[in-house]
Amino acid sequence: MDKIKIGVIGTGRIGQMHVENLANMRDNFEVTAIADPYAPNLAELAQKYQIPHYTNDYEKVLADPQIQAVVIASATNTHATIIEAAAKQNKSIFCEKPLAEDVPQIKQLLQVVKDNGTCLQVGFNRRFDHNFKQIHDYVKAGQIGTPQIIKISSRDPEPPSIDYVKVSGGLFNDMMIHDFDMARYLSDSEVVEVNAQGAVLVNPEIGEVGDIDTAIVTLKFANGALGVIDNSRQAVYGYDQRAEVFGSKGQAVSTNDRLNNVELDQNENVQLSEIPFFFIERYQQAYRDEFQAFYEAVTKKQAPVVDGLDGLKAVEIARACDQSLKTHQAVKL
Amino acid sequence: MDKIKIGVIGTGRIGQMHVENLANMRDNFEVTAIADPYAPNLAELAQKYQIPHYTNDYEKVLADPQIQAVVIASATNTHATIIEAAAKQNKSIFCEKPLAEDVPQIKQLLQVVKDNGTCLQVGFNRRFDHNFKQIHDYVKAGQIGTPQIIKISSRDPEPPSIDYVKVSGGLFNDMMIHDFDMARYLSDSEVVEVNAQGAVLVNPEIGEVGDIDTAIVTLKFANGALGVIDNSRQAVYGYDQRAEVFGSKGQAVSTNDRLNNVELDQNENVQLSEIPFFFIERYQQAYRDEFQAFYEAVTKKQAPVVDGLDGLKAVEIARACDQSLKTHQAVKL
Amino acid sequence: MDKIKIGVIGTGRIGQMHVENLANMRDNFEVTAIADPYAPNLAELAQKYQIPHYTNDYEKVLADPQIQAVVIASATNTHATIIEAAAKQNKSIFCEKPLAEDVPQIKQLLQVVKDNGTCLQVGFNRRFDHNFKQIHDYVKAGQIGTPQIIKISSRDPEPPSIDYVKVSGGLFNDMMIHDFDMARYLSDSEVVEVNAQGAVLVNPEIGEVGDIDTAIVTLKFANGALGVIDNSRQAVYGYDQRAEVFGSKGQAVSTNDRLNNVELDQNENVQLSEIPFFFIERYQQAYRDEFQAFYEAVTKKQAPVVDGLDGLKAVEIARACDQSLKTHQAVKL
Amino acid sequence: MDKIKIGVIGTGRIGQMHVENLANMRDNFEVTAIADPYAPNLAELAQKYQIPHYTNDYEKVLADPQIQAVVIASATNTHATIIEAAAKQNKSIFCEKPLAEDVPQIKQLLQVVKDNGTCLQVGFNRRFDHNFKQIHDYVKAGQIGTPQIIKISSRDPEPPSIDYVKVSGGLFNDMMIHDFDMARYLSDSEVVEVNAQGAVLVNPEIGEVGDIDTAIVTLKFANGALGVIDNSRQAVYGYDQRAEVFGSKGQAVSTNDRLNNVELDQNENVQLSEIPFFFIERYQQAYRDEFQAFYEAVTKKQAPVVDGLDGLKAVEIARACDQSLKTHQAVKL
């Protein structure tokens, strides 16, 4: 199996990006179908990337015996149904996070995936970031010894619209979920307790619809390490994505990315380069590299780097934070 | 009053450093007496710095009408008594932290200081560090807008002896107390709630004597901001002292100091400079600058940059953390 | 004209990279033909990128009236002939550097290009590097005022084979030629005098075949600025590409790229990330962006960012350096 | 010999700084006399630092048998006479650079020093800078292998007055002389050839009085390495002092110092810390450390780190640059 024949279900912004990345990976993938119930530009998209089939009905993609794998980038509330259907068709599955909105539903779909022996990779793209992967690799290689303190800062350049906030599931499920996965990835351990602090400091309207825009969560890990994540919906200086792991033999620390390495020195002014605007720009290469990993997992029949359990764990931690914030108490997992 | 005639009480390691710094500030200070009940080298010290009087009895220093100010660097359990006696003699007072070991005692001595209208500066030297002072100044000047997230990392290069740990008062009172003061200094606000997580990850013996060696504490501030402090008794790469304040208009972030700005690039190896060993080396200039501030406060009859209330607040926060660690609950102040 | 139908002549290492980059720019380019006299994998390449025509005879590409533009990535000694032929067929031309090996030949081909009113862009890819372009943009925008000192460091990770060195034309023509173009690009001025120092410090065999492996060249510019370029055939720590421009209002300085922003701190060891291996890796995005600029130039009928005169000037400066090295004297241009 | 009894001749700005530094080094030095023909504040200075003797006649200092060493910080045209007189009195000598204004005079005084077996250290303070000393130490320890390229940037924050420029001896003798010494120090080799480029880009008046304000000099070293120094009389962003040594095993590179390690990130603005204003601020610690080295040399009867030959060589290189600039040709030493 040289190339994987793959279909992409859901061709919104992220789905289109996936189509382009897969189309450019000519040695590994052949995009043979795209599906979206609404997208008006399906035909155009198919033509641009020379994709033979396009349809409004994803079931046609799943029914195509030539298609070996699918990317699910449709609305979150459709993930569970499509994953289960794809698993039953023995397709390898790449699904955008979150797998589903509630924990029992995820557990059920994971059982279906397991029963069908299907490969399922979840779209936690940040694991493939050049900085975070390097920290993880140092930890894995024992370069920092036993992890003791894990710190993650994750701040968006601007808050989403209030309409989005209303349906987002809240900051922990919508935003910090990436950091929960990152905490597990960097620490190489499971989160066993959370303690959440939240505040509305960016936009009062976010508070009015029952959400927070600023949060600090402390974590305890199974291996004894402590952790802390901070989130803000608005860093006016730009998208801020940093992490550090401190351990018995040292620490690995990343600074935020900038677009270039030029420093401008003027009288009373120093200017460093701009920051990549948001996740699409910052994680551009990571979005490509997660498919390389998916290719390896599928062709070598290995466990994917981010599997269904990872998808489940992040949601469980988010739910525990919701509870901690409400009860003002630590919540064990 | 051009020069302040000053006496130094307690000539251990820190006391001697203070003597040297004061002796070098020839325009501002004249060290006219030193006192220590035990120090065998008092005469030698007096000769080296050309100090006219030395004694085993600090009361002689306080009784000298020519002496305008005293530095108290004696054992912690003597601070309260000496401060009160000095205040009654109308001496300006510079006292090493902590002011005393328990909150009621501190409150009482602050009352005595107040009743006598004496200047009292507490030795939170880190407020005078080039990095932390710069962050504070940016916050004060409104450069980062309203503070929203305050983060402080403070890690020692090596743990103290178990004998020291036993009498230290515990990590929060002995080590993180500096960071509690820093949190107040950087946020320009009061801490209203703490939530402490602790662990024994460096040395099991520290746990056996009832202390912790690794901790993460989250803070809530009166102005609504959230904060987090992490401490470790052992950073194998060296003394690590960093802080950042994030706000509505931006952030100010410091990296750790190194001894020089040289990068060595070799095949498969990059070497940056060493880190200043410990607090004496890292805060060398800060220890000098705190006396410059004391000079300004005394001669201009201004409130000192770090006053008795600051000394009290840090101890109160430490006590609250002790309680939070024990009860696994948030503690309000 | 939405998409440019383009042919690629020469499908060696660089030619193949150009094919891939053009194939991925689906909105702007359509690769309709590739040509190479020897390449055994032409058919395979055509299939991979879905290119309708492939041939051993580049004249067929030039004769195809549907093809609007060509990329010339063939052997240097074929450039002049192909450029002239392409110009006469009114193709827009993107040609790898150097345009030709000697100055009169370049002047002649530029005349042909001019007579035919054709767009000619030269492959000085470094102008599109994120760092160097930023410095250039700061200079252009007046941020550093009048340029006074231009400094460029350019060092390869490992020397080429002696066989390559023998036919390379020498360090100035083969390697520093990029920096001569960079000096003109960054200073926004012409080089009017050079003074070359060279040495054989890396590999004595390079000296035995009449070349140097280490060089420092000083430059004088028409606008009065001074400049200096240093080259080494071997930086054991990796490919080193830096520049700075100092002027009346400030300076813009770039540091070398690394693969990520992670710092590993251990006891007695600090590790920064690896450096991108060589030009293919370092200038990956620049190789893409130069085609974006070519697209703009062709479709908007603008002068290309790097034109034929730029190709000529760099060769002239290299020749002057050869002479300066030989005569131990400054050479005016 | 525990403490060196030392006299300071010349109590202008630099002389006073030396007095303070020596007075603070209580374990090593005892300043027993100061001399200056004009200084109106001699008595006050003596009182402040508790120096027993002060005089307008430096010969009295030299005649005092209790004084073991002298610091010469008087006007340059008095250096030779005082050095010779001090040498004849067997005083150890620390003399500010330059030793004298012309080469034969320096050679003569070095002979007198040699004949009297006296220790002579020259005030090239930059050798004691934390950055430059680190680079030197890496080179000495073989960490960069054989030096191949030495680069030094040295730029003042503002040009001196035209009156000063007139009597300065020119940029090479007044300013770049420090860098000539640095080039020898960092390369651990002798300069054998120079090639000087100069320009008037900062202030036309500097050109009118026959000097330059911007210069690039290339160097050849006895060990085969190449070097380059750039100077500007005006870096509007502040005093800029950097160096790098590139060799067969790697490179050591320093960035410029800043007052602290804080980065302020705002929307469309990033602010790094200020740069130390000028040499007094930047080399504050180096000015102290050069006396520590002097103490070691005198008490251990070792050759000083910067000796008379170093003082001679720097002047010789400056003279060669004057000639190269005039003749537009390389000048061999």
Side-chain angles (χ1 to χ4, degrees), chain B residues 31 46 59 74 98 143 152-153 155 192 210-211 219 278 291 293 322:
Chain B
V31 185
E59 294 195 2
S74 53
Q143 295 282 318
I152 299 169
S153 279
R155 300 162 187 165
V192 296
D211 202 356
L219 310 165
F278 211 167
F291 284 124
D322 283 337

Side-chain angles (χ1 to χ4, degrees), chain A residues 236-237 258 263 265-273 275, chain D residues 236-237 258 263 265-273 275:
Chain A
V236 296
Y237 54 86
R258 293 191 178 278
E263 179 180 311
D265 298 310
Q266 295 175 315
N267 187 7
E268 313 228 334
N269 183 43
V270 180
Q271 191 63 40
L272 301 185
S273 155
I275 291 169
Chain D
V236 296
Y237 54 85
R258 293 190 177 279
E263 179 179 312
D265 298 311
Q266 295 175 315
N267 187 8
E268 314 228 335
N269 183 44
V270 181
Q271 191 63 41
L272 302 185
S273 155
I275 290 170

Side-chain angles (χ1 to χ4, degrees), chain A residues 9 37-38 58 72-84 95 99-100 105:
Chain A
I9 296 168
Y38 314 109
Y58 73 83
I72 304 173
S74 52
T76 294
N77 62 9
T78 68
H79 288 181
T81 308
I82 304 179
I83 288 172
E84 291 187 22
C95 184
L99 286 174
Q105 199 175 15

Side-chain angles (χ1 to χ4, degrees), chain C residues 211-223:
Chain C
D211 202 356
I212 54 175
D213 54 34
T214 306
I216 293 184
V217 168
T218 53
L219 310 165
K220 285 189 181 172
F221 294 88
N223 64 11

Side-chain angles (χ1 to χ4, degrees), chain A residues 18-287:
Chain A
H18 288 333
V19 168
E20 172 147 22
N21 286 335
L22 291 164
N24 289 352
M25 298 175 79
R26 292 171 181 84
D27 290 332
N28 296 346
F29 292 102
E30 188 180 337
V31 184
T32 55
I34 51 177
D36 196 285
Y38 314 109
N41 61 346
L42 264 186
E44 193 186 327
L45 204 64
Q47 190 193 359
K48 177 172 178 181
Y49 296 101
Q50 296 172 289
I51 300 166
H53 306 291
Y54 60 95
T55 170
N56 291 121
D57 180 2
Y58 73 83
E59 294 194 4
K60 287 191 187 154
V61 176
L62 298 182
D64 182 343
Q66 290 215 321
I67 287 178
Q68 299 155 291
V70 290
V71 170
I72 304 173
S74 52
T76 294
N77 62 9
T78 68
H79 288 181
T81 308
I82 304 179
I83 288 172
E84 291 187 22
K88 286 172 184 163
Q89 296 278 6
N90 286 312
K91 308 297 187 207
S92 295
I93 304 164
F94 178 101
C95 184
E96 271 305 313
K97 61 99 219 170
L99 286 174
E101 279 167 348
D102 68 61
V103 168
Q105 199 175 15
I106 297 175
K107 284 184 173 166
Q108 179 193 310
L109 72 83
L110 290 188
Q111 190 59 46
V112 175
V113 167
K114 191 178 171 191
D115 293 345
N116 286 275
T118 304
C119 172
L120 169 62
Q121 182 173 327
V122 182
F124 280 125
N125 57 294
R126 296 186 190 178
R127 290 194 180 206
F128 302 90
D129 177 66
H130 55 167
N131 294 340
F132 300 137
K133 184 170 187 309
Q134 177 71 81
I135 296 176
H136 167 83
D137 290 351
Y138 280 141
V139 174
K140 267 285 188 191
Q143 296 282 319
I144 66 121
T146 307
Q148 296 173 344
I149 298 174
I150 288 92
K151 294 174 69 180
I152 299 170
S153 278
S154 180
R155 301 162 187 166
D156 286 351
E158 52 190 32
S161 68
I162 292 300
D163 283 348
Y164 177 88
V165 170
K166 282 180 188 167
V167 300
S168 69
L171 182 139
F172 297 127
N173 298 278
D174 179 59
M175 182 176 175
M176 202 181 276
I177 195 165
H178 276 289
D179 306 303
F180 298 138
D181 183 63
M182 187 55 60
R184 293 178 61 248
Y185 176 63
L186 295 181
S187 67
D188 207 24
S189 181
E190 293 300 337
V191 173
V192 296
E193 188 181 315
V194 299
N195 213 318
Q197 323 287 336
V200 181
L201 303 173
V202 173
N203 182 355
E205 287 184 74
I206 291 176
E208 287 159 18
V209 300
D211 201 356
I212 54 175
D213 54 34
T214 307
I216 294 185
V217 168
T218 53
L219 310 166
K220 286 189 181 173
F221 294 88
N223 64 11
L226 304 177
V228 63
I229 300 168
D230 71 86
N231 272 190
S232 170
R233 284 291 195 182
Q234 182 180 276
V236 296
Y237 54 86
Y239 195 39
D240 196 352
Q241 301 281 291
R242 289 175 286 152
E244 52 185 281
V245 181
F246 169 87
S248 57
K249 289 188 182 168
Q251 73 172 348
V253 185
S254 69
T255 51
N256 203 26
D257 274 13
R258 293 191 178 278
L259 292 182
N260 60 56
N261 290 332
V262 177
E263 179 180 311
L264 175 68
D265 298 310
Q266 295 175 315
N267 187 7
E268 313 228 334
N269 183 43
V270 180
Q271 191 63 40
L272 301 185
S273 155
E274 276 180 276
I275 291 169
F277 174 57
F278 211 168
F279 59 97
I280 296 287
E281 293 78 15
R282 163 61 189 262
Y283 294 112
Q284 191 177 37
Q285 186 64 43
Y287 279 119

